Amino acid sequence: MKRLLTTPIYYVNDIAHIGHAYTTIIADVVKKYWILKGDDVFLLTGTDEHGQKIEEAAKKHGIQTIEYTNSISQKFRSVWDAFDIDYDKFIRTTYLEHILGVQKAFEIMYDKGDIYKGEYEGQYCVSCESFFTQTQVLEGVYCPDCGKETRIVKEESYFFRLSQYQEKLLEWYKNNPNCILPAHKRNEVIKFVEGNLQDLSITRTSFEWGIKVPFKLKDESHIVYVWLDALMNYANALGYGLDYNNAKQQLKHKPEQNPTLESKMEYFEHTTHIVGKDILRFHAIYWPAFLMSLGLPLPEHIFVHGWWTIDGVKMSKSLGNVINPLEIKEAYSIDILRYFLLKEVPFGQDGDFSERALINRNNGELSNDLGNLVNRLIGMSEKYFNFDLHESFTINHYQVEREKIDSLCHECLAFMDSMQPNKYLESVWEILYLANSLITQVAPWELIKRNAFEDCKAFLNLIANILAKVTLLLYPIMPHICEKIAICLGIRINHEQFHSLIIQYAYLRGFQITKIEALFPKIEEPQMKLHTQKINNHSHVNDMAKDSKTQSQEIFSSLKIENEITLADFQSIEIKIGTILEAQKLPKSNKLLKLKVDINEERPRQIIAGISEFYTPESLVGTQVFVLSNLKPAKLMGELSEGMILACKDSHGLSLLRVEKEKENGSRVS
């Protein structure tokens, strides 16, 4: 199926920030996932370059407006290229094909009677390109969205009869319950529309930088307002309007604009938009109404994500507290960032960017669960079979485990199809937990000791199959890492392999393993310095910040902390969950026990613990405990101890620290 997938076109009043990167990465993830499922996907992104704010920004920099937009637009494109975003077209609203498409749409809606001329008066925010009523603005003057001062605008305008589409919009929402996801965002839109829609001002006369209304109206003072202009890019990039005023002939002479000389409107039949919650109203109300007026297909889905904050404050160009995504890329792998952004927060909710949290993701589940599993497979296949795992797996092997894996694969697909990428990743990790746990249970090194070579080879083949499935599932999120794992396993990442191993639950009978470098080396210290600009907001935000700071100072001044450490000191400690497999008394000692503890490594750790006075060896087997795992090994009574079991002791005796609910071995405490 041909599908159009879009990001918003980003406004060129400043360079790209991490919020823009989040939206674009999500789009790239969805495209890769759909392609694996067999769809033909056209990914569209670009820049919105018209409007009063752009005109004023160019004047501030002392250059021509088109020079300014050329510069900023290229910076956006360079970021997406640096991030290996697989877009099919980068559209700019200054391109001729877009201008012609907007004028064609305006003319059709005008001839239909959906556009009429009137006069507009209201509060206007230049920063947000939005109008507000007097009751909506804060303190009678401040924009409710960005907090900047609005201005009163009174001018002649063309209006779109949005009010006439109220019932049609409500019917569309009712008949298409998944048209807006998450569902609570759809409910917000319905509530807004039910509050009675007003006709929409769609032109301005107070500035010149924009698309003029069609020539036949003979009204050159009017510029098409930003939302009709910007939203039409989704159709214009596919060739809507190419037959207008001999557009093809004109576009042939503008190769730098990457013109669409042949219509690709067949992709428009199945459209999905990915947008931030701040522009939901424009995409879920205005845009469908425009499409209804033009007789064009409505979107199948509008996926709505939340904002990223830093220190709890929204990141945006309007507020001025931005993080440059290239700064992150220079310090960390793109794949780690992609994983962090999709795992850290449920889709649709706000998230707070933290470099330390990103490092913890790398050092935790990525290194311990995925990277370690790859390393264990490589190590054991090399040691026991010289990397050759061919002809070692049949359909009768591990049937119960395969049924669980197949169920989790099915669960993954359901989560991604309903746009829940964080739950998708949780299900993938359930597969990884299962694989790592199986290694502990089966103990292939014990099979080798018993000369059960075929059984060991079959088991390693199962682990290789699990990694093959995980690689295909993780490819949309971490394409570069998964390409490395695919080389290790000798598989290809494509639709055919995905359909076989994931959709049809097939298993490969043999693997030739290739040794690769460690995928997720531990990161000891932060690699970047976040540069954030001072937030300039109206007074009540500053007052809130001052109050919060004062309260924090009062709280900390009342604390008396002895042997104080920093957060970095704490985060250098690795405490992991482990299961005690064996326990026995240490000869010649009344206090020490020798334990074998599984913390999801190639072999169990040996730990000497001084708990014999309080626990019998038999009572400890199967117990999950907290293990200080990066403690330097030491010899006690001639025995090597590779860690420490955490316990608490007071006048009532000693108690081991235990988990409230069973956790996967190797899980890190944070």
Side-chain angles (χ1 to χ4, degrees):
M1 180 170 67
K2 292 183 182 294
R3 306 181 73 157
L4 171 65
L5 179 64
T6 79
T7 73
I9 49 172
Y10 301 112
Y11 211 39
V12 295
N13 62 321
D14 205 346
I15 60 174
H17 60 60
I18 190 64
H20 300 129
Y22 177 55
T23 313
T24 312
I25 286 171
I26 290 172
D28 190 66
V29 167
V30 172
K31 176 181 179 178
K32 285 177 167 58
Y33 173 73
W34 283 349
I35 287 176
L36 283 178
K37 291 187 70 177
D39 291 328
D40 178 1
V41 186
F42 189 98
L43 176 55
L44 175 66
T45 190
T47 45
D48 179 7
E49 304 177 23
H50 290 138
Q52 186 173 1
K53 184 163 52 174
I54 303 302
E55 188 175 69
E56 292 180 356
K59 289 179 181 178
K60 183 179 178 180
H61 286 81
I63 59 176
Q64 293 291 322
T65 309
I66 189 62
E67 293 178 30
Y68 176 78
T69 60
N70 285 344
S71 172
I72 303 297
S73 179
Q74 183 55 47
K75 288 178 180 178
F76 269 89
R77 188 164 191 164
S78 296
V79 171
W80 306 153
D81 290 342
F83 272 70
D84 294 331
I85 302 299
D86 186 21
Y87 59 87
D88 295 279
K89 180 151 185 163
F90 190 98
I91 185 72
R92 297 178 58 186
T93 56
T94 49
Y95 282 176
L96 178 60
E97 62 183 312
H98 175 73
I99 294 170
L100 296 174
V102 169
Q103 291 180 326
K104 176 181 178 179
F106 194 105
E107 186 172 328
I108 289 173
M109 290 190 282
Y110 181 83
D111 290 343
K112 188 176 180 178
D114 280 347
I115 290 178
Y116 64 93
K117 197 173 187 179
E119 186 176 75
Y120 182 85
E121 181 175 5
Q123 302 287 135
Y124 180 68
C125 175
V126 174
S127 180
C128 295
E129 299 277 2
S130 297
F131 287 101
F132 300 96
T133 65
Q134 190 63 42
T135 57
Q136 289 175 316
V137 294
L138 303 175
E139 300 177 19
V141 65
Y142 295 112
C143 172
D145 289 343
C146 72
K148 292 186 177 180
E149 192 169 338
T150 62
R151 60 184 70 172
I152 295 177
V153 172
K154 182 178 181 179
E155 62 185 32
E156 186 179 71
S157 177
Y158 284 88
F159 288 81
F160 175 75
R161 297 187 191 275
L162 185 63
S163 58
Q164 288 192 358
Y165 288 90
Q166 178 169 320
E167 294 306 317
K168 290 182 179 180
L169 287 168
L170 291 173
E171 183 179 359
W172 178 55
Y173 306 141
K174 178 181 178 181
N175 295 335
N176 299 273
N178 292 323
C179 62
I180 302 171
L181 292 173
H184 69 273
K185 291 298 181 184
R186 173 176 164 270
N187 296 335
E188 288 178 14
V189 170
I190 291 174
K191 185 176 180 180
F192 183 90
V193 174
E194 288 176 340
N196 293 324
L197 295 177
Q198 304 296 314
D199 289 350
L200 186 66
S201 171
I202 56 170
T203 67
R204 300 287 306 281
T205 59
S206 55
F207 60 91
E208 297 181 357
W209 182 246
I211 300 172
K212 295 186 180 298
V213 300
F215 178 75
K216 79 171 195 176
L217 272 67
K218 297 182 179 179
D219 212 342
E220 292 190 1
S221 63
H222 283 265
I223 299 297
V224 178
Y225 181 51
V226 61
W227 287 109
L228 177 58
D229 172 359
L231 290 165
M232 282 303 301
N233 91 89
Y234 301 131
N236 297 340
L238 300 178
Y240 181 83
L242 282 184
D243 58 343
Y244 187 71
N245 287 344
N246 298 315
K248 285 188 179 182
Q249 193 61 36
Q250 298 180 56
L251 287 167
K252 284 181 180 178
H253 302 293
K254 294 184 177 292
E256 74 282 358
Q257 296 191 2
N258 185 26
T260 304
L261 297 178
E262 299 297 332
S263 175
K264 296 183 181 293
M265 286 299 289
E266 64 270 21
Y267 288 92
F268 203 78
E269 294 290 330
H270 303 282
T271 297
T272 295
H273 302 297
I274 298 176
V275 301
K277 65 181 182 180
D278 52 332
I279 55 175
L280 171 60
R281 180 179 48 183
F282 310 107
H283 285 81
I285 301 174
Y286 302 166
W287 179 229
F290 293 157
L291 293 174
M292 290 175 183
S293 178
L294 294 170
L296 292 174
L298 272 61
E300 287 189 345
H301 301 291
I302 301 172
F303 295 152
V304 191
H305 65 74
W307 289 328
W308 280 91
T309 61
I310 180 168
D311 297 328
V313 179
K314 174 192 171 186
M315 290 188 207
S316 74
K317 292 173 290 190
S318 298
L319 292 176
N321 62 331
V322 299
I323 294 178
N324 187 336
L326 290 178
E327 205 174 312
I328 304 174
K329 178 186 177 297
E330 290 172 1
Y332 300 103
S333 157
I334 295 174
D335 281 15
I336 295 173
L337 175 63
R338 287 167 71 106
Y339 176 83
F340 171 81
L341 293 176
L342 271 77
K343 185 65 161 59
E344 187 72 6
V345 60
F347 185 81
Q349 296 183 19
D350 294 343
D352 196 60
F353 181 84
S354 161
E355 185 178 7
R356 177 54 66 181
L358 184 147
I359 292 172
N360 288 343
R361 292 287 183 192
N362 177 81
N363 293 352
E365 59 255 43
L366 289 176
S367 179
N368 294 340
D369 301 328
L370 177 58
N372 189 42
L373 183 62
V374 174
N375 292 340
R376 294 170 94 177
L377 176 66
I378 292 172
M380 288 186 285
S381 66
E382 177 184 21
K383 184 176 182 180
Y384 304 145
F385 303 106
N386 195 29
F387 298 116
D388 186 0
L389 300 180
H390 282 100
E391 300 303 323
S392 59
F393 190 78
T394 69
I395 198 68
N396 296 321
H397 283 107
Y398 300 101
Q399 185 172 348
V400 173
E401 289 80 5
R402 287 192 291 105
E403 288 176 357
K404 177 63 175 175
I405 294 164
D406 295 344
S407 175
L408 287 168
C409 287
H410 177 77
E411 190 177 87
C412 288
L413 300 181
F415 282 134
M416 188 63 88
D417 291 339
S418 60
M419 202 53 195
Q420 299 181 76
N422 68 308
K423 290 188 177 293
Y424 176 87
L425 286 170
E426 287 175 6
S427 292
V428 173
W429 248 252
E430 287 295 323
I431 301 174
L432 288 171
Y433 294 150
L434 175 62
N436 282 300
S437 296
L438 282 173
I439 291 177
T440 301
Q441 295 169 23
V442 175
W445 48 91
E446 296 295 337
L447 295 176
I448 293 297
K449 289 180 182 178
R450 299 197 300 268
N451 294 321
F453 294 103
E454 289 305 313
D455 290 343
C456 181
K457 195 172 189 182
F459 175 72
L460 293 183
N461 204 310
L462 173 66
I463 298 300
N465 266 289
I466 292 174
L467 271 173
K469 292 173 184 289
V470 166
T471 300
L472 290 164
L473 290 168
L474 284 180
Y475 174 76
I477 290 91
M478 297 191 292
H480 304 91
I481 290 293
C482 289
E483 285 169 355
K484 292 179 180 179
I485 302 176
I487 290 172
C488 171
L489 298 173
I491 65 170
R492 293 188 177 185
I493 299 175
N494 54 33
H495 165 62
E496 290 74 22
Q497 196 82 279
F498 189 88
H499 184 75
S500 175
L501 296 187
I502 304 299
I503 306 297
Q504 294 188 325
Y505 309 137
Y507 285 76
L508 300 174
R509 294 197 61 207
F511 292 87
Q512 181 67 42
I513 303 301
T514 299
K515 198 168 187 176
I516 60 173
E517 62 185 6
L519 297 175
F520 303 102
K522 292 295 179 73
I523 302 170
E524 301 300 332
E525 296 292 337
Q527 303 296 303
M528 60 177 285
K529 182 177 180 181
L530 298 179
H531 299 291
T532 56
Q533 302 170 359
K534 183 178 179 181
I535 300 172
N536 296 312
N537 204 354
H538 49 280
S539 59
H540 74 273
V541 172
N542 292 326
D543 291 339
M544 288 171 63
K546 290 177 182 177
D547 291 343
S548 176
K549 184 177 180 181
T550 301
Q551 291 171 8
S552 298
Q553 290 172 341
E554 291 173 354
I555 292 170
F556 283 112
S557 64
S558 68
L559 297 176
K560 294 182 179 179
I561 303 175
E562 296 180 1
N563 301 320
E564 185 174 84
I565 66 172
T566 67
L567 180 61
D569 293 331
F570 172 73
Q571 288 171 332
S572 68
I573 300 170
E574 283 191 4
I575 301 174
K576 295 182 179 180
I577 303 299
T579 299
I580 299 176
L581 304 178
E582 299 176 13
Q584 58 182 315
K585 286 189 175 183
L586 199 64
K588 301 180 181 181
S589 174
N590 295 324
K591 294 183 179 181
L592 299 178
L593 292 180
K594 183 165 66 173
L595 310 175
K596 290 293 180 68
V597 185
D598 173 22
I599 59 170
N600 202 10
E601 295 176 339
E602 184 171 351
R603 62 171 180 82
R605 293 271 190 110
Q606 176 171 289
I607 297 177
I608 309 302
I611 58 176
S612 181
E613 294 176 85
F614 306 95
Y615 294 94
T616 64
E618 301 79 32
S619 68
L620 293 172
V621 175
T623 298
Q624 283 202 313
V625 292
F626 293 86
V627 179
L628 180 57
S629 60
N630 64 337
L631 184 67
K632 185 177 180 180
K635 279 197 172 184
L636 299 173
M637 299 284 291
E639 293 282 352
L640 183 67
S641 183
E642 301 170 297
M644 179 186 290
I645 304 294
L646 301 189
C648 177
K649 186 176 182 181
D650 62 9
S651 59
H652 299 290
L654 178 142
S655 295
L656 294 176
L657 300 186
R658 310 193 195 200
V659 296
E660 180 181 358
K661 184 179 179 182
E662 185 177 352
K663 296 296 180 184
E664 294 290 340
N665 292 331
S667 299
R668 185 169 176 176
V669 177
S670 59

